[in-house]
């Protein structure tokens, strides 16, 4: 965290980046909806809940090409090598500068994220139970 703060200060970017910590869950939807894109370049296996939250907020997602992230992000998200800065930068530029791409990602994300709604999960689970009975 301190390295990031130092970098921002060194490059006179303190007013361009807002670092948030321990954000209350009620605030998250508003934060997501203020974004042009959700960038989640994790370098370790984690959960995909923030990706699903972004998709639910109609935000295009750029995330890591490995781990559980493709399951959470679905076919409409962009996947990058998080250790390749050029690849990540290109993906961000593409989403921010290509309205058609951005709209396509949002539409596909809305369709895909239905798979994570409680009603869908419950219906799928009931199918499994019915098949084994």
């Amino acid at each position: 965290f301190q390295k990031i703060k130092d970098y921002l200060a060194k490059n006179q970017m303190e007013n361009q980046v807002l670092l948030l910590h321990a954000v209350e869950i009620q605030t998250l939807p508003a934060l997501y909806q203020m974004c042009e894109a959700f960038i989640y370049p994790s370098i370790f296996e984690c959960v995909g809940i923030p990706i699903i939250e972004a998709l639910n907020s109609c935000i295009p997602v750029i995330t890591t090409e490995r781990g559980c992230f493709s399951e959470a992000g679905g076919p409409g998200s962009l996947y990058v090598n998080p250790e390749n800065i050029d690849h990540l930068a290109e993906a961000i530029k593409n989403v921010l500068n290509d309205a058609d791409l951005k709209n396509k990602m949002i539409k596909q994300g809305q369709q895909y994220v239905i798979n994570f709604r409680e009603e869908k999960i419950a219906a799928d689970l009931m199918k499994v139970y019915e098949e084994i009975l």
Side-chain angles (χ1 to χ4, degrees):
F1 186 78
Q2 190 58 48
K3 282 183 180 182
I4 293 170
K5 286 176 70 173
D6 293 344
Y7 179 87
L8 295 173
K10 179 182 174 186
N11 292 282
Q12 301 173 351
M13 297 172 63
E14 301 97 336
N15 295 329
Q16 297 175 8
V17 177
L18 180 61
L19 300 173
L20 303 173
H21 178 70
V23 175
E24 293 183 17
I25 197 158
Q26 305 92 307
T27 307
L28 286 176
L31 290 174
Y32 282 118
Q33 292 167 17
M34 292 170 41
C35 297
E36 291 293 320
F38 180 71
I39 294 87
Y40 196 62
S42 180
I43 57 172
F44 59 91
E45 184 71 27
C46 195
V47 296
I49 292 172
I51 295 168
I52 294 167
E53 291 172 336
L55 293 175
N56 267 316
S57 294
C58 300
I59 303 301
V61 170
I62 300 169
T63 190
T64 301
E65 62 190 3
R66 57 184 179 226
C68 68
F69 303 109
S70 61
E71 182 181 348
S77 297
L78 294 182
Y79 300 95
V80 298
N81 176 346
E83 297 173 17
N84 183 332
I85 294 170
D86 295 330
H87 191 206
L88 178 58
E90 186 67 25
I92 294 169
K93 270 195 276 186
N94 288 340
V95 171
L96 296 181
N97 296 320
D98 186 339
D100 291 336
L101 173 63
K102 184 176 179 180
N103 290 332
K104 179 181 173 187
M105 291 174 69
I106 291 169
K107 184 176 180 181
Q108 288 180 329
Q110 288 176 307
Q111 293 168 345
Y112 183 75
V113 80
I114 290 169
N115 293 310
F116 298 97
R117 301 237 164 96
E118 292 174 358
E119 305 83 28
K120 172 80 167 113
I121 293 170
D124 289 348
L125 188 56
M126 284 305 295
K127 284 182 190 175
V128 171
Y129 287 148
E130 290 168 356
E131 288 174 9
I132 39 178
L133 290 178

